Coordinates of all heavy atoms in Angstrom, one line a residue:
M1 N 10.9 29.6 3.6 CA 10.1 29.2 2.5 C 10.1 30.1 1.4 O 10.3 31.3 1.5 CB 8.6 29.2 3.1 CG 7.6 28.7 2.1 SD 6.0 28.5 2.6 CE 6.1 27.2 3.8
S2 N 10.1 29.5 0.1 CA 10.3 30.3 -1.0 C 9.0 31.1 -1.3 O 7.9 30.8 -1.0 CB 10.5 29.3 -2.1 OG 10.6 30.0 -3.4
K3 N 9.2 32.3 -1.8 CA 8.1 33.2 -2.1 C 7.6 33.1 -3.5 O 6.6 33.7 -3.9 CB 8.6 34.7 -1.9 CG 9.0 35.0 -0.5 CD 7.9 35.2 0.3 CE 8.4 35.6 1.8 NZ 7.2 35.6 2.8
K4 N 8.3 32.2 -4.4 CA 7.9 32.2 -5.7 C 6.6 31.3 -5.9 O 6.2 30.5 -5.1 CB 9.0 31.4 -6.6 CG 9.2 30.0 -6.2 CD 10.3 29.4 -7.1 CE 10.5 28.0 -6.7 NZ 11.3 27.3 -7.6
I5 N 5.8 31.7 -6.8 CA 4.5 31.1 -7.0 C 4.5 30.0 -7.8 O 3.9 29.0 -7.7 CB 3.4 32.2 -7.5 CG1 3.2 33.3 -6.5 CG2 2.2 31.6 -7.9 CD1 2.6 32.9 -5.3
F6 N 5.3 30.0 -9.0 CA 5.4 29.0 -9.9 C 6.5 27.9 -9.5 O 7.6 28.3 -9.1 CB 5.8 29.5 -11.4 CG 4.7 30.5 -11.9 CD1 4.9 31.8 -11.8 CD2 3.6 30.0 -12.3 CE1 3.9 32.7 -12.3 CE2 2.6 30.8 -12.8 CZ 2.7 32.1 -12.8
I7 N 6.1 26.7 -9.5 CA 6.9 25.6 -9.0 C 7.2 24.6 -10.1 O 6.5 24.6 -11.1 CB 6.2 24.9 -7.7 CG1 4.9 24.4 -8.1 CG2 6.2 25.9 -6.6 CD1 4.3 23.5 -7.0
S8 N 8.2 23.8 -9.9 CA 8.7 22.7 -10.8 C 7.7 21.5 -10.6 O 7.0 21.5 -9.6 CB 10.2 22.4 -10.6 OG 10.2 21.7 -9.3
C9 N 7.8 20.7 -11.6 CA 7.1 19.4 -11.4 C 7.5 18.6 -10.2 O 6.8 18.0 -9.5 CB 7.2 18.6 -12.7 SG 6.3 19.3 -14.1
D10 N 8.8 18.6 -10.0 CA 9.3 17.8 -8.8 C 8.7 18.5 -7.5 O 8.4 17.8 -6.6 CB 10.9 18.0 -8.7 CG 11.6 17.1 -9.6 OD1 11.0 16.2 -10.2 OD2 12.8 17.4 -10.0
E11 N 8.7 19.7 -7.4 CA 8.1 20.4 -6.2 C 6.6 20.1 -6.1 O 6.0 20.0 -5.1 CB 8.3 21.9 -6.2 CG 9.7 22.3 -6.0 CD 9.9 23.8 -6.4 OE1 9.8 24.2 -7.4 OE2 10.2 24.6 -5.4
A12 N 5.9 20.1 -7.3 CA 4.5 19.8 -7.3 C 4.2 18.3 -6.8 O 3.2 18.2 -6.1 CB 4.0 20.0 -8.7
T13 N 5.0 17.4 -7.2 CA 4.8 16.0 -6.8 C 5.0 15.9 -5.3 O 4.3 15.2 -4.5 CB 5.6 15.0 -7.5 OG1 6.9 15.3 -7.4 CG2 5.1 14.9 -9.0
T14 N 6.0 16.5 -4.8 CA 6.3 16.6 -3.4 C 5.1 17.1 -2.5 O 4.6 16.6 -1.5 CB 7.6 17.4 -3.0 OG1 8.7 16.8 -3.7 CG2 7.8 17.5 -1.6
I15 N 4.6 18.3 -3.0 CA 3.4 19.0 -2.3 C 2.2 18.0 -2.5 O 1.4 17.9 -1.6 CB 3.2 20.4 -2.8 CG1 4.5 21.3 -2.6 CG2 2.0 20.9 -2.3 CD1 4.3 22.7 -3.4
C16 N 2.0 17.4 -3.7 CA 0.9 16.5 -3.9 C 1.0 15.4 -2.8 O 0.0 15.1 -2.1 CB 1.0 16.0 -5.2 SG -0.4 14.9 -5.6
N17 N 2.0 14.9 -2.6 CA 2.2 13.7 -1.6 C 2.0 14.3 -0.2 O 1.4 13.6 0.6 CB 3.6 13.2 -1.8 CG 4.0 12.4 -3.1 OD1 3.0 12.0 -3.7 ND2 5.1 12.2 -3.4
K18 N 2.5 15.5 0.1 CA 2.4 16.0 1.5 C 0.8 16.3 1.6 O 0.4 16.0 2.8 CB 3.1 17.3 1.6 CG 4.6 17.0 1.8 CD 5.4 18.4 1.9 CE 5.0 19.3 2.9 NZ 5.8 20.5 3.0
S19 N 0.1 16.8 0.6 CA -1.3 17.1 0.8 C -2.2 15.9 1.0 O -3.1 15.9 1.7 CB -1.9 17.9 -0.4 OG -1.9 17.1 -1.6
Q20 N -1.8 14.8 0.5 CA -2.5 13.5 0.7 C -2.6 13.1 2.2 O -3.5 12.4 2.6 CB -1.9 12.4 -0.1 CG -2.0 12.3 -1.7 CD -3.4 12.2 -2.0 OE1 -4.1 11.4 -1.6 NE2 -3.9 13.2 -2.9
Y21 N -1.5 13.6 2.9 CA -1.5 13.2 4.4 C -1.8 14.6 5.2 O -1.3 14.5 6.4 CB -0.1 12.7 4.7 CG 0.1 11.3 3.9 CD1 0.9 11.3 2.8 CD2 -0.5 10.1 4.3 CE1 1.1 10.2 2.1 CE2 -0.4 9.0 3.6 CZ 0.5 9.0 2.3 OH 0.6 7.8 1.7
K22 N -2.3 15.4 4.6 CA -2.6 16.8 5.3 C -1.5 17.4 5.9 O -1.6 18.0 7.0 CB -3.7 16.4 6.4 CG -4.9 15.6 6.0 CD -5.8 16.4 4.8 CE -7.1 15.6 4.7 NZ -7.3 15.4 3.4
E23 N -0.2 17.3 5.2 CA 0.9 17.9 5.8 C 1.4 19.2 5.0 O 2.3 19.8 5.3 CB 1.9 16.9 5.7 CG 1.8 15.7 6.6 CD 2.9 14.6 6.4 OE1 3.7 14.7 5.5 OE2 2.7 13.7 7.2
A24 N 0.6 19.5 3.9 CA 1.0 20.6 3.1 C 0.3 21.9 3.6 O -0.8 21.9 4.1 CB 0.4 20.5 1.7
S25 N 1.1 23.0 3.5 CA 0.6 24.3 4.1 C -0.4 24.8 3.1 O -0.5 24.4 1.9 CB 1.8 25.2 4.3 OG 2.3 25.7 3.0
F26 N -1.1 25.9 3.5 CA -2.0 26.5 2.5 C -1.3 27.1 1.4 O -1.9 27.0 0.3 CB -2.8 27.7 3.3 CG -3.7 28.5 2.5 CD1 -5.0 27.9 2.1 CD2 -3.3 29.6 2.0 CE1 -5.8 28.7 1.3 CE2 -4.2 30.5 1.3 CZ -5.4 29.9 0.9
L27 N -0.2 27.7 1.6 CA 0.5 28.3 0.4 C 0.9 27.2 -0.5 O 0.9 27.4 -1.8 CB 1.8 29.1 1.0 CG 2.5 29.8 -0.1 CD1 1.7 30.7 -0.9 CD2 3.7 30.7 0.6
E28 N 1.5 26.1 0.1 CA 2.0 25.0 -0.8 C 0.8 24.4 -1.7 O 1.0 24.2 -2.9 CB 2.4 23.9 0.0 CG 3.7 24.2 0.6 CD 4.4 23.1 1.5 OE1 3.5 22.5 2.2 OE2 5.5 22.8 1.5
I29 N -0.5 24.4 -1.1 CA -1.6 23.9 -1.8 C -2.1 24.9 -3.0 O -2.3 24.5 -4.0 CB -2.8 23.6 -0.9 CG1 -2.4 22.5 0.0 CG2 -4.2 23.4 -1.6 CD1 -3.4 22.3 1.2
V30 N -1.9 26.2 -2.7 CA -2.2 27.3 -3.6 C -1.1 27.1 -4.8 O -1.6 27.1 -6.0 CB -2.2 28.6 -3.0 CG1 -2.1 29.7 -4.1 CG2 -3.3 28.9 -2.1
K31 N 0.0 26.9 -4.5 CA 1.1 26.8 -5.5 C 0.8 25.5 -6.3 O 1.0 25.4 -7.6 CB 2.5 26.7 -5.0 CG 3.0 28.0 -4.3 CD 4.3 27.7 -3.6 CE 5.0 29.0 -3.2 NZ 6.2 28.9 -2.5
L32 N 0.5 24.4 -5.7 CA 0.1 23.1 -6.4 C -1.1 23.4 -7.3 O -1.0 22.9 -8.5 CB -0.1 22.1 -5.3 CG -0.6 20.6 -5.9 CD1 0.6 20.2 -6.9 CD2 -1.0 19.8 -4.9
K33 N -2.0 24.1 -6.9 CA -3.3 24.2 -7.7 C -2.8 25.1 -9.0 O -3.4 24.9 -10.0 CB -4.4 24.9 -6.9 CG -5.0 23.8 -6.0 CD -6.2 24.4 -5.2 CE -6.8 23.6 -4.3 NZ -7.4 22.4 -4.8
I34 N -2.1 26.1 -8.8 CA -1.7 26.9 -9.9 C -0.8 25.9 -10.8 O -1.1 26.0 -12.0 CB -0.7 28.0 -9.5 CG1 -1.6 29.0 -8.7 CG2 0.0 28.8 -10.7 CD1 -0.9 30.1 -7.9
H35 N 0.1 25.2 -10.4 CA 0.9 24.3 -11.3 C 0.0 23.4 -12.0 O 0.1 23.0 -13.2 CB 1.9 23.6 -10.5 CG 2.9 22.7 -11.2 ND1 3.8 23.2 -11.9 CD2 2.8 21.4 -11.5 CE1 4.6 22.2 -12.6 NE2 3.9 21.0 -12.3
L36 N -1.0 22.7 -11.3 CA -1.9 21.7 -11.8 C -2.8 22.3 -13.0 O -3.1 21.7 -13.8 CB -2.7 21.1 -10.8 CG -2.0 20.2 -9.8 CD1 -3.0 19.6 -8.7 CD2 -1.1 19.1 -10.4
F37 N -3.0 23.7 -12.7 CA -3.8 24.3 -14.0 C -3.1 24.2 -15.2 O -3.8 24.2 -16.2 CB -4.1 25.7 -13.4 CG -5.0 26.5 -14.4 CD1 -6.3 26.2 -14.4 CD2 -4.4 27.5 -15.3 CE1 -7.2 26.9 -15.3 CE2 -5.2 28.2 -16.1 CZ -6.6 27.8 -16.2
S38 N -1.8 24.3 -15.2 CA -1.0 24.4 -16.5 C -0.3 23.1 -16.8 O 0.2 22.9 -17.9 CB -0.1 25.6 -16.5 OG 0.9 25.4 -15.5
C39 N -0.3 22.1 -15.9 CA 0.5 20.9 -16.3 C -0.4 19.7 -16.1 O -0.7 19.2 -15.0 CB 1.6 20.8 -15.2 SG 2.7 19.3 -15.5
K40 N -0.7 19.2 -17.2 CA -1.6 18.0 -17.3 C -1.0 16.8 -16.7 O -1.6 15.9 -16.2 CB -2.0 17.8 -18.8 CG -2.8 19.1 -19.3 CD -4.0 19.4 -18.6 CE -4.6 20.6 -19.2 NZ -5.4 21.4 -18.2
I41 N 0.4 16.6 -16.9 CA 1.0 15.4 -16.4 C 1.0 15.3 -14.9 O 0.6 14.3 -14.3 CB 2.5 15.4 -16.9 CG1 2.7 15.2 -18.5 CG2 3.3 14.3 -16.2 CD1 3.9 15.4 -19.0
C42 N 1.3 16.5 -14.3 CA 1.1 16.5 -12.8 C -0.3 16.4 -12.3 O -0.7 15.7 -11.2 CB 1.7 17.8 -12.2 SG 3.5 17.7 -12.3
G43 N -1.2 16.9 -13.2 CA -2.7 16.7 -12.9 C -3.0 15.2 -12.8 O -3.8 14.7 -12.0
A44 N -2.6 14.5 -13.8 CA -2.8 13.0 -13.9 C -2.2 12.3 -12.7 O -2.8 11.5 -12.0 CB -2.3 12.4 -15.2
Y45 N -0.9 12.7 -12.3 CA -0.3 12.2 -11.2 C -1.0 12.4 -9.9 O -1.2 11.5 -9.1 CB 1.2 12.7 -11.1 CG 1.9 12.3 -9.7 CD1 2.6 11.1 -9.7 CD2 1.8 13.1 -8.6 CE1 3.2 10.7 -8.5 CE2 2.3 12.6 -7.5 CZ 3.1 11.5 -7.4 OH 3.7 11.1 -6.3
S46 N -1.6 13.6 -9.8 CA -2.3 14.0 -8.5 C -3.5 13.1 -8.5 O -3.9 12.6 -7.3 CB -2.7 15.6 -8.7 OG -3.4 15.9 -7.6
K47 N -4.3 12.9 -9.6 CA -5.6 12.0 -9.6 C -5.1 10.7 -9.2 O -5.8 10.1 -8.4 CB -6.2 12.2 -10.9 CG -6.9 13.4 -11.1 CD -7.7 13.4 -12.6 CE -8.2 14.7 -12.8 NZ -8.9 14.7 -14.1
Q48 N -4.1 10.2 -9.9 CA -3.7 8.8 -9.5 C -3.3 8.5 -8.1 O -3.7 7.6 -7.4 CB -2.7 8.3 -10.4 CG -3.1 8.1 -11.9 CD -2.1 7.7 -12.8 OE1 -0.8 7.8 -12.5 NE2 -2.3 7.4 -14.1
N49 N -2.6 9.5 -7.5 CA -2.1 9.5 -6.2 C -3.3 9.5 -5.2 O -3.3 8.8 -4.2 CB -1.2 10.7 -6.0 CG -0.4 10.5 -4.6 OD1 0.0 9.5 -4.2 ND2 0.0 11.7 -4.1
A50 N -4.2 10.4 -5.5 CA -5.5 10.4 -4.7 C -6.2 9.1 -4.7 O -6.8 8.6 -3.8 CB -6.4 11.5 -5.0
T51 N -6.4 8.6 -5.9 CA -7.0 7.3 -6.1 C -6.3 6.2 -5.4 O -7.0 5.4 -4.7 CB -7.2 6.8 -7.6 OG1 -7.8 7.9 -8.3 CG2 -7.8 5.5 -7.7
L52 N -5.0 6.1 -5.4 CA -4.4 5.1 -4.8 C -4.4 5.2 -3.2 O -4.6 4.2 -2.6 CB -2.9 5.1 -5.2 CG -1.9 4.1 -4.5 CD1 -2.3 2.7 -5.1 CD2 -0.4 4.4 -5.0
T53 N -4.4 6.4 -2.8 CA -4.5 6.6 -1.3 C -6.0 6.2 -0.8 O -6.1 5.5 0.2 CB -4.3 8.2 -0.9 OG1 -2.9 8.4 -1.4 CG2 -4.5 8.4 0.5
K54 N -6.9 6.6 -1.6 CA -8.3 6.2 -1.3 C -8.5 4.6 -1.2 O -9.0 4.1 -0.3 CB -9.3 6.8 -2.2 CG -10.6 6.7 -1.9 CD -11.5 7.3 -2.9 CE -13.1 7.1 -2.6 NZ -13.9 7.8 -3.6
V55 N -8.0 4.0 -2.3 CA -8.1 2.5 -2.3 C -7.4 1.9 -1.4 O -7.9 0.9 -0.6 CB -7.7 2.1 -3.8 CG1 -7.6 0.6 -3.7 CG2 -8.6 2.5 -4.8
C56 N -6.2 2.4 -1.0 CA -5.3 1.6 0.0 C -5.9 1.9 1.4 O -5.9 0.9 2.2 CB -3.9 2.2 -0.2 SG -3.0 1.5 -1.5
S57 N -6.4 3.0 1.6 CA -6.9 3.2 3.0 C -8.2 2.5 3.3 O -8.5 2.1 4.3 CB -7.3 4.8 3.1 OG -8.2 5.2 2.4
K58 N -9.0 2.2 2.2 CA -10.1 1.3 2.3 C -9.7 -0.1 2.7 O -10.4 -0.8 3.4 CB -10.9 1.2 1.0 CG -12.2 0.7 1.0 CD -13.0 0.8 -0.2 CE -12.7 -0.2 -1.2 NZ -13.6 -0.1 -2.4
H59 N -8.5 -0.6 2.2 CA -8.0 -2.0 2.4 C -7.2 -2.1 3.6 O -7.2 -3.3 4.2 CB -7.4 -2.6 1.1 CG -8.3 -2.8 0.0 ND1 -9.1 -4.0 -0.1 CD2 -8.7 -2.1 -1.1 CE1 -9.8 -3.9 -1.1 NE2 -9.7 -2.8 -1.8
L60 N -6.5 -1.1 3.9 CA -5.5 -1.1 5.0 C -6.1 -0.4 6.2 O -6.1 0.9 6.2 CB -4.2 -0.8 4.5 CG -3.5 -1.6 3.5 CD1 -2.2 -1.0 3.1 CD2 -3.3 -3.0 3.9
H61 N -6.4 -0.9 7.3 CA -6.8 -0.2 8.4 C -5.6 -0.2 9.4 O -4.9 -1.3 9.7 CB -8.0 -0.7 9.0 CG -9.1 -0.9 8.1 ND1 -10.0 0.3 7.6 CD2 -9.7 -1.9 7.3 CE1 -10.7 -0.1 6.7 NE2 -10.8 -1.3 6.5
K62 N -5.5 0.8 10.2 CA -4.5 0.8 11.2 C -4.8 -0.1 12.4 O -5.9 -0.1 12.9 CB -4.3 2.2 11.8 CG -3.7 3.2 10.8 CD -3.4 4.6 11.4 CE -2.8 5.5 10.4 NZ -2.6 6.7 11.0
T63 N -3.9 -0.9 12.7 CA -4.1 -2.0 13.7 C -2.9 -1.8 14.6 O -1.9 -1.2 14.3 CB -4.2 -3.4 13.2 OG1 -3.0 -3.7 12.5 CG2 -5.4 -3.6 12.3
E64 N -3.0 -2.3 15.8 CA -1.9 -2.4 16.8 C -0.6 -3.1 16.3 O 0.4 -2.7 16.6 CB -2.4 -2.9 18.1 CG -3.4 -2.0 18.8 CD -3.6 -2.3 20.2 OE1 -2.8 -2.9 20.8 OE2 -4.7 -1.8 20.7
G65 N -1.0 -4.3 15.6 CA 0.2 -5.0 15.1 C 0.4 -4.7 13.6 O -0.3 -4.1 12.9
E66 N 1.5 -5.4 13.1 CA 1.7 -5.3 11.6 C 0.8 -6.2 10.9 O 0.4 -7.3 11.3 CB 3.1 -5.9 11.4 CG 3.6 -5.8 10.0 CD 5.0 -6.3 9.8 OE1 5.9 -6.0 10.6 OE2 5.2 -6.9 8.8
R67 N 0.2 -5.6 9.9 CA -0.9 -6.2 9.1 C -0.4 -6.5 7.7 O 0.2 -5.7 7.0 CB -2.1 -5.4 9.0 CG -3.1 -5.8 8.0 CD -4.4 -6.3 8.5 NE -5.6 -6.3 7.6 CZ -5.7 -7.3 6.6 NH1 -4.7 -8.1 6.2 NH2 -6.7 -7.3 5.9
K68 N -0.3 -7.8 7.2 CA 0.1 -8.2 5.9 C -1.0 -8.7 5.1 O -1.9 -9.3 5.6 CB 1.2 -9.2 6.0 CG 2.5 -8.7 6.6 CD 3.5 -9.7 6.6 CE 4.8 -9.2 7.2 NZ 6.0 -10.1 7.2
L69 N -1.1 -8.3 3.9 CA -2.2 -8.8 3.0 C -1.8 -10.3 2.5 O -0.7 -10.4 2.1 CB -2.3 -7.9 1.8 CG -2.7 -6.5 2.0 CD1 -2.8 -5.6 0.8 CD2 -4.1 -6.4 2.7
C70 N -2.9 -11.0 2.3 CA -2.6 -12.4 1.7 C -2.6 -12.2 0.3 O -3.0 -11.1 -0.2 CB -3.7 -13.3 2.1 SG -5.4 -12.9 1.5
K71 N -2.2 -13.1 -0.5 CA -2.1 -13.1 -2.0 C -3.4 -12.6 -2.6 O -3.5 -11.8 -3.5 CB -1.7 -14.5 -2.5 CG -1.5 -14.5 -4.0 CD -1.0 -15.8 -4.5 CE -0.9 -15.8 -6.0 NZ -0.4 -17.0 -6.5
E72 N -4.6 -13.3 -2.1 CA -5.9 -12.7 -2.7 C -6.2 -11.3 -2.5 O -6.7 -10.6 -3.4 CB -7.0 -13.7 -2.2 CG -6.9 -15.1 -2.7 CD -5.9 -15.9 -1.9 OE1 -5.5 -15.5 -0.7 OE2 -5.5 -17.0 -2.4
E73 N -5.7 -10.8 -1.2 CA -6.2 -9.4 -1.0 C -5.2 -8.5 -1.8 O -5.7 -7.4 -2.2 CB -5.8 -9.1 0.6 CG -6.9 -9.7 1.5 CD -6.4 -9.7 2.9 OE1 -5.3 -9.8 3.3 OE2 -7.3 -9.3 3.7
K74 N -4.0 -9.0 -2.0 CA -3.0 -8.0 -2.8 C -3.6 -8.1 -4.3 O -3.6 -7.0 -4.9 CB -1.6 -8.8 -2.9 CG -0.8 -8.6 -1.5 CD 0.5 -9.3 -1.6 CE 1.1 -9.3 -0.4 NZ 2.5 -9.9 -0.4
E75 N -4.0 -9.1 -4.8 CA -4.5 -9.2 -6.1 C -5.8 -8.3 -6.3 O -6.0 -7.6 -7.3 CB -4.8 -10.6 -6.7 CG -3.5 -11.4 -6.8 CD -3.9 -12.8 -7.1 OE1 -5.1 -13.3 -7.0 OE2 -2.9 -13.6 -7.4
A76 N -6.7 -8.4 -5.3 CA -7.9 -7.6 -5.3 C -7.6 -6.1 -5.2 O -8.2 -5.2 -6.0 CB -8.8 -8.1 -4.1
L77 N -6.6 -5.7 -4.4 CA -6.2 -4.3 -4.3 C -5.5 -3.9 -5.6 O -5.9 -2.8 -6.1 CB -5.1 -4.3 -3.2 CG -4.6 -2.9 -2.9 CD1 -5.7 -1.9 -2.6 CD2 -3.5 -2.9 -1.7
Q78 N -4.7 -4.7 -6.2 CA -4.1 -4.3 -7.5 C -5.2 -4.2 -8.6 O -5.1 -3.2 -9.3 CB -3.1 -5.3 -7.9 CG -2.4 -5.0 -9.2 CD -1.3 -6.0 -9.6 OE1 -1.1 -7.0 -8.9 NE2 -0.6 -5.8 -10.6
N79 N -6.1 -5.0 -8.6 CA -7.3 -5.0 -9.6 C -8.1 -3.7 -9.5 O -8.4 -3.1 -10.4 CB -8.1 -6.3 -9.5 CG -7.4 -7.4 -10.2 OD1 -6.4 -7.4 -10.9 ND2 -7.8 -8.5 -9.8
E80 N -8.4 -3.3 -8.1 CA -9.1 -2.2 -7.9 C -8.3 -0.9 -8.3 O -9.0 0.0 -8.8 CB -9.5 -2.1 -6.4 CG -10.5 -1.0 -6.2 CD -11.1 -1.0 -4.7 OE1 -11.0 -2.0 -4.0 OE2 -11.8 -0.1 -4.4
V81 N -7.1 -0.8 -8.0 CA -6.3 0.3 -8.4 C -6.2 0.5 -9.9 O -6.5 1.6 -10.3 CB -4.8 0.3 -7.8 CG1 -3.9 1.2 -8.4 CG2 -4.8 0.3 -6.3
V82 N -6.0 -0.6 -10.6 CA -5.9 -0.5 -12.1 C -7.3 0.0 -12.5 O -7.4 0.8 -13.4 CB -5.5 -1.9 -12.6 CG1 -5.8 -1.9 -14.1 CG2 -4.1 -2.1 -12.2
K83 N -8.4 -0.6 -12.2 CA -9.7 -0.3 -12.6 C -9.9 1.2 -12.2 O -10.5 1.9 -13.2 CB -10.7 -1.2 -11.8 CG -12.2 -0.9 -12.1 CD -13.2 -1.9 -11.3 CE -14.5 -1.4 -11.5 NZ -15.4 -2.2 -10.6
K84 N -9.6 1.7 -11.1 CA -9.8 3.1 -10.7 C -9.1 4.1 -11.6 O -9.5 5.1 -12.2 CB -9.6 3.4 -9.2 CG -10.5 2.7 -8.4 CD -11.8 3.6 -8.2 CE -12.5 3.0 -7.0 NZ -13.8 3.6 -6.7
I85 N -7.9 3.6 -11.8 CA -6.9 4.5 -12.7 C -7.4 4.6 -14.1 O -7.6 5.6 -14.8 CB -5.5 4.0 -12.5 CG1 -4.9 4.5 -11.2 CG2 -4.6 4.6 -13.7 CD1 -3.5 3.9 -10.9
N86 N -7.9 3.4 -14.6 CA -8.4 3.3 -16.0 C -9.7 4.1 -16.2 O -9.9 4.7 -17.2 CB -8.5 1.9 -16.5 CG -7.2 1.2 -16.7 OD1 -6.1 1.8 -16.8 ND2 -7.1 -0.1 -16.6
S87 N -10.5 4.1 -15.1 CA -11.8 4.9 -15.2 C -11.5 6.3 -15.2 O -12.4 7.2 -15.5 CB -12.7 4.3 -14.1 OG -12.3 4.8 -12.9
N88 N -10.4 6.8 -14.6 CA -10.2 8.2 -14.6 C -9.5 8.8 -15.8 O -9.2 10.0 -16.0 CB -9.1 8.6 -13.4 CG -10.0 8.4 -12.0 OD1 -11.1 8.6 -12.0 ND2 -9.3 8.1 -11.0
T89 N -9.0 7.9 -16.7 CA -8.3 8.4 -17.9 C -9.2 8.6 -19.1 O -10.4 8.3 -19.1 CB -7.2 7.4 -18.4 OG1 -7.7 6.1 -18.6 CG2 -6.1 7.4 -17.4

């Protein structure tokens, strides 16, 4: 594992994605927070990623079989994601 504290935007998005699924280490989260403090673009990505995860998890529940959304469910999900992202900007 790298000892450097400052990370690139590519590294930040990878850690952001890992943290959404509770797979990021404590050190990675610290590095991400430092990066987000100075990078507004990655901050916006992080917020949108969290919103998308929250909205999707509300609509998609783990089931034993494969679950597919019908057309109306897809449209409702898309509308909710757009609404949430627009309200965060």
Side-chain angles (χ1 to χ4, degrees):
M1 184 178 287
S2 175
K3 299 285 184 189
K4 65 181 182 167
I5 297 295
F6 297 102
I7 58 175
S8 68
C9 291
D10 286 339
E11 291 171 294
T13 56
T14 299
I15 295 169
C16 180
N17 293 337
K18 286 173 65 175
S19 71
Q20 289 293 315
Y21 300 102
K22 311 290 188 236
E23 296 173 354
S25 70
F26 176 75
L27 182 58
E28 287 176 322
I29 293 171
V30 169
K31 290 178 180 182
L32 177 62
K33 289 188 182 287
I34 290 169
H35 183 84
L36 294 179
F37 183 73
S38 63
C39 183
K40 302 304 178 201
I41 294 171
C42 287
Y45 173 83
S46 180
K47 284 181 183 180
Q48 290 176 353
N49 196 25
T51 299
L52 184 59
T53 299
K54 184 177 179 181
V55 170
C56 287
S57 66
K58 187 171 88 173
H59 288 278
L60 299 173
H61 303 288
K62 291 185 178 181
T63 60
E64 290 189 22
E66 184 176 322
R67 165 115 163 67
K68 295 185 179 181
L69 297 175
C70 69
K71 183 178 179 180
E72 291 80 18
E73 290 173 314
K74 288 177 185 177
E75 288 174 357
L77 180 60
Q78 183 177 5
N79 290 336
E80 188 172 348
V81 168
V82 169
K83 181 180 168 186
K84 292 276 188 183
I85 288 174
N86 289 337
S87 69
N88 286 335
T89 57

